[in-house]
Every structure is written in structure tokens, then in C-alpha cells.
Amino acid sequence: MDLEINTMMVCVHTTDNSKENTDPIPIPDIRSNKPIGFHDQEDNSTAFFQKLVTANFYGKEISIAIPNEISLSLSISKKAMVAASKKRDELNKYSTEQQTLFESDVKSAYDFLEEVQKSVVFAYRAVESFCNASIPDAYIYKKTTNKGVVEHYGKEQIERWISTSEKVSSILPEILACGSPTEQKFWGDFKNLERIRNELIHSKSSNSASILAELFSEVVTRYIASGTELLEFFIKLDPCNPIFPLGFGTSQIKIISVPNAEEYLQKI
């Protein structure tokens, strides 16, 4: 667990007991990062910290506990899906009365499209963020082209040039020492999630209408859910991993044990 010099942190919880303590640590929001724990060997106490980011609001500085980007994206996606489901119900009522929406009643259709697109994009972004956060800085991905040339990709090149589906199917299994998710039932749905997301972000006039029509299909709900299923596939492997988001079963916090926590933190 590496901390950079001058990392801003706030203490969010303390315990006056051993580092083996298994009592739950209070988390104010599921979108938070896992706290960083320091066990002081001198007084046998443990303190938990959250990293901070400083923002400027109307000329005033405020420090905020940094959220987990994966959790934040999932939250946006889920809220948008709830809103989209309500609009879908409204549209279902209209469909029993009329076949064409073009007057004031078309608002529900447009509202639905806004929310479902938001849900698609952020469900995919959650997986994308998870992949990029899981790749170590020094990791090198070797890929053989059709011409037999072995290409080497560092982390920055992986983030920029390798698709998310390739990251989760080839790179993460190597890093996390696990099987590939390509044989899981949700894999086909995730590939469709990726396809629709790419069509939305890189819109082409030639297929815009077909994508909009597909978004009204109920199967899109399944595509969106596949993002969470894919995350669960990896997160269950290591409940202690500090970059993994909260909200996926029981999470555990790794604790750094040092002779004197105060002296250690003064160096950061």
C-alpha cells in the first residue's frame, strides 16, 4: 500500500485494540474508498484514514474524502436505471392506447432515452475504471499480432489502446491469477453492453436509429446488469484488495503495522 509524500488524509475511525480486531469499521457512504489502516505497535491502537482532495467552491477551499470511481459510476448507472424503469412503465401505458408518440406524450420517451443511455455509459465506465485501477504501474502486456509480431504495452498504452473486454478477458486474469470471465453466462451481455456504449460514444448517423430502437428493448436492462456481474466475478476473489469498491459482500481492510504510527505519518 503506497502513499505519496504530502498525501492529505483525515482520520475517520480509531480502535484501542490489536490489529487483528474484526469489528466493523463505520462507512458513511458506500461510494467511499476503503479506509487505510495504521496499527501503532507502541500503544496497540489502530487508526483508519481516508485520502482527501481539495476543491474550490466560490473562492473557499473544502476538502472531500475521495470517492471510489468504480462505486460512483455504478451509483450513477443504478440511479439512472431506476429512473428509466419508471419512464418505461409510463411508456407501457401509452403503448396500450396509441402506437405513435409525437406530441406532449413523447416527453416520456425522450426522458427514458436520456436515463437509459446514462445507465449504459456509466455501467461500462465502472468496469473500465476497475480495469485501469487494477493494473499495476509496472505491468507489461505482451500481445502477438496476426503477423507474429509481439507488441508490448505499458499501463498507459493499455488504458489507451486495449479494449475493456480484452482487459477483463486477458489482462486481469493474469494480474489477479484467476480464470477468464468469457465462459460466464453474463459475458455475451457484457459484450453487448460494450457495443452499445461504443455506439453511443462514437455515434454514427448510419446506425443511430437502430441503436435508439434497441435501447427501448428490455434486454438492455440485462446488458447493464452484466457490468455489475463482471465486477462481482473479480471482486469476490480478494475482499482485502484496497482498490476494490465497497458494496460487494464483506470487505476487509489491510492494515499497516508500524512501531510508531505518528512518526510514520509525519514522513508522508
Side-chain angles (χ1 to χ4, degrees):
M1 190 184 302
D2 297 325
L3 291 173
E4 297 178 359
I5 299 296
N6 297 323
T7 298
M8 290 182 61
M9 297 190 296
V10 60
C11 182
V12 295
H13 186 67
T14 59
T15 58
D16 294 323
N17 45 36
S18 71
K19 62 179 179 178
E20 287 80 16
N21 176 53
T22 57
D23 290 341
I25 307 302
I27 301 295
D29 194 294
I30 201 70
R31 294 166 293 184
S32 301
N33 279 301
K34 288 183 181 179
I36 302 168
F38 293 96
H39 173 248
D40 191 314
Q41 296 171 7
E42 283 191 4
D43 61 11
N44 200 30
S45 65
T46 303
F48 298 88
F49 295 81
Q50 286 282 8
K51 293 182 182 179
L52 298 173
V53 61
T54 300
N56 190 298
F57 281 93
Y58 301 102
K60 297 180 180 179
E61 285 192 349
I62 182 171
S63 295
I64 304 165
I66 299 175
N68 184 285
E69 286 192 24
I70 306 161
S71 299
L72 207 60
S73 293
L74 276 180
S75 178
I76 295 170
S77 178
K78 289 177 179 178
K79 288 175 181 176
M81 194 65 248
V82 169
S85 296
K86 292 178 180 178
K87 292 300 176 182
R88 189 194 295 277
D89 291 340
E90 289 181 17
L91 290 171
N92 188 44
K93 293 178 182 178
Y94 285 130
S95 66
T96 61
E97 301 170 358
Q98 59 198 95
Q99 292 184 328
T100 304
L101 303 180
F102 61 93
E103 295 182 324
S104 60
D105 48 17
V106 80
K107 179 180 184 299
S108 293
Y110 295 165
D111 288 345
F112 169 81
L113 286 172
E114 285 185 5
E115 297 299 335
V116 76
Q117 288 185 62
K118 192 191 306 180
S119 188
V120 165
V121 169
F122 279 94
Y124 185 82
R125 185 180 185 272
V127 177
E128 198 171 31
S129 297
F130 178 82
C131 290
N132 294 339
S134 298
I135 299 172
D137 291 340
Y139 178 79
I140 300 296
Y141 176 48
K142 297 178 182 179
K143 180 179 179 180
T144 304
T145 67
N146 294 332
K147 296 181 179 180
V149 178
V150 179
E151 298 177 337
H152 294 70
Y153 295 82
K155 178 168 182 171
E156 187 175 334
Q157 288 75 39
I158 293 171
E159 292 178 347
R160 178 173 295 186
W161 301 113
I162 304 299
S163 70
T164 297
S165 58
E166 186 172 349
K167 292 175 189 175
V168 297
S169 63
S170 300
I171 295 177
L172 289 194
E174 181 178 305
I175 292 171
L176 301 176
C178 66
S180 173
T182 55
E183 299 301 319
Q184 301 298 310
K185 291 181 179 179
F186 59 74
W187 182 249
D189 290 332
F190 177 73
K191 290 292 290 182
N192 280 312
L193 174 68
E194 183 173 58
R195 173 181 58 80
I196 293 178
R197 177 267 181 190
N198 289 342
E199 294 285 359
L200 292 174
I201 298 299
H202 310 291
S203 180
K204 300 180 181 67
S205 59
S206 59
N207 59 0
S208 177
S210 63
I211 289 298
L212 289 178
E214 187 174 5
L215 288 172
F216 283 104
S217 170
E218 292 183 0
V219 296
V220 171
T221 303
R222 202 174 68 224
Y223 298 166
I224 292 168
S226 71
T228 301
E229 292 178 286
L230 180 56
L231 291 174
E232 287 176 341
F233 174 82
F234 289 111
I235 291 171
K236 67 182 181 182
L237 298 171
D238 184 8
C240 287
N241 195 310
I243 66 105
F244 287 2
L246 299 168
F248 289 82
T250 302
S251 293
Q252 298 175 6
I253 300 170
K254 288 184 178 179
I255 296 174
I256 301 172
S257 184
V258 294
N260 186 301
E262 186 173 349
E263 288 183 6
Y264 180 86
L265 292 171
Q266 284 177 349
K267 298 176 183 178
I268 298 175

